[in-house]
Amino acid sequence: MPQIPEKIHELTVGQLAARSGAAVSALHFYESKGLITSRRTSGNQRRYSRDALRRVAFVRAAQRVGIPLATIREALAELPEERTPTREDWSRLSENWRSELDERIKQLNRLRDHLTDCIGCGCLSLEGCVLSNPDDVFGERQAGSRLMVERRGAGPAPTRTPSRPCVSDTPD
């Protein structure tokens, strides 16, 4: 990995990519999403301050644990004067993200546990179909085995009728 002399306060996109391990395209994407910033030289080349390394490391660590970029951007925007995140910032923010991650883990465990239940039967209104229709969300709006596009001004949604039993629920 190339070392950057201490007297250099700005990095090219190539230097930032080499030091951070992120692809140049990823750095451009992060910049377009407001996660990092650069200035432009008179030749229209990007230059990043050295603290962009820590911001990129922060973004990549948060992404590895499944935090959406929008949430990461909101967290970085909360820092005073858009400063570089510190160890304390990571600790505080990761504690806030913990409940979100716990909920995702719970949902993934639920999906894993029901993976063989009711796969592909098409009964989107069945309360027990946790894969296609968790918590019978679609049954609250309409009955049937598939969703239909709701037309504007088409009147009230049809009332719900009992659904057919799931194939996996029928006795052999």
Side-chain angles (χ1 to χ4, degrees):
M1 177 179 328
Q3 294 297 315
I4 301 170
E6 288 295 319
K7 64 182 179 182
I8 296 177
H9 298 290
E10 292 186 316
L11 308 172
T12 66
V13 70
Q15 289 171 322
L16 183 58
R19 290 289 308 275
S20 69
V24 169
S25 60
L27 297 173
H28 291 168
F29 180 74
Y30 292 164
E31 189 172 355
S32 74
K33 297 299 179 186
L35 300 166
I36 60 175
T37 58
S38 68
R39 73 168 186 87
R40 297 293 184 139
T41 66
S42 58
N44 202 29
Q45 296 175 333
R46 289 179 169 95
R47 291 292 185 266
Y48 297 91
S49 62
R50 290 178 68 93
D51 67 346
L53 281 168
R54 182 177 300 270
R55 287 180 79 89
V56 170
F58 180 91
V59 169
R60 295 187 70 189
Q63 281 186 295
R64 272 193 291 281
V65 296
I67 304 301
L69 284 179
T71 303
I72 297 168
R73 182 178 54 243
E74 290 169 8
L76 289 171
E78 290 176 11
L79 299 177
E81 299 178 18
E82 297 185 14
R83 71 169 163 74
T84 302
T86 63
R87 185 181 312 257
E88 292 78 25
D89 293 325
W90 177 262
S91 179
R92 179 179 48 81
L93 292 166
S94 63
E95 186 61 36
N96 293 341
W97 294 336
R98 189 182 225 29
S99 62
E100 182 181 330
L101 291 174
D102 287 342
E103 185 57 37
R104 280 198 216 150
I105 290 168
K106 181 178 161 185
Q107 183 181 27
L108 286 171
N109 283 332
R110 181 178 172 196
L111 290 172
R112 181 204 58 215
D113 294 345
H114 294 283
L115 190 59
T116 57
D117 295 349
C118 214
I119 281 268
C121 69
C123 59
L124 293 178
S125 293
L126 187 68
E127 289 182 30
C129 191
V130 296
L131 295 177
S132 298
N133 186 19
D135 302 319
D136 196 27
V137 174
F138 298 130
E140 297 298 319
R141 293 193 319 210
Q142 61 188 1
S145 61
R146 59 192 163 108
L147 293 176
M148 296 170 28
V149 178
E150 295 178 21
R151 289 182 249 142
R152 289 187 182 178
T159 57
R160 185 165 178 236
T161 57
S163 0
R164 65 178 174 74
C166 180
V167 173
S168 64
D169 291 341
T170 56
D172 289 336

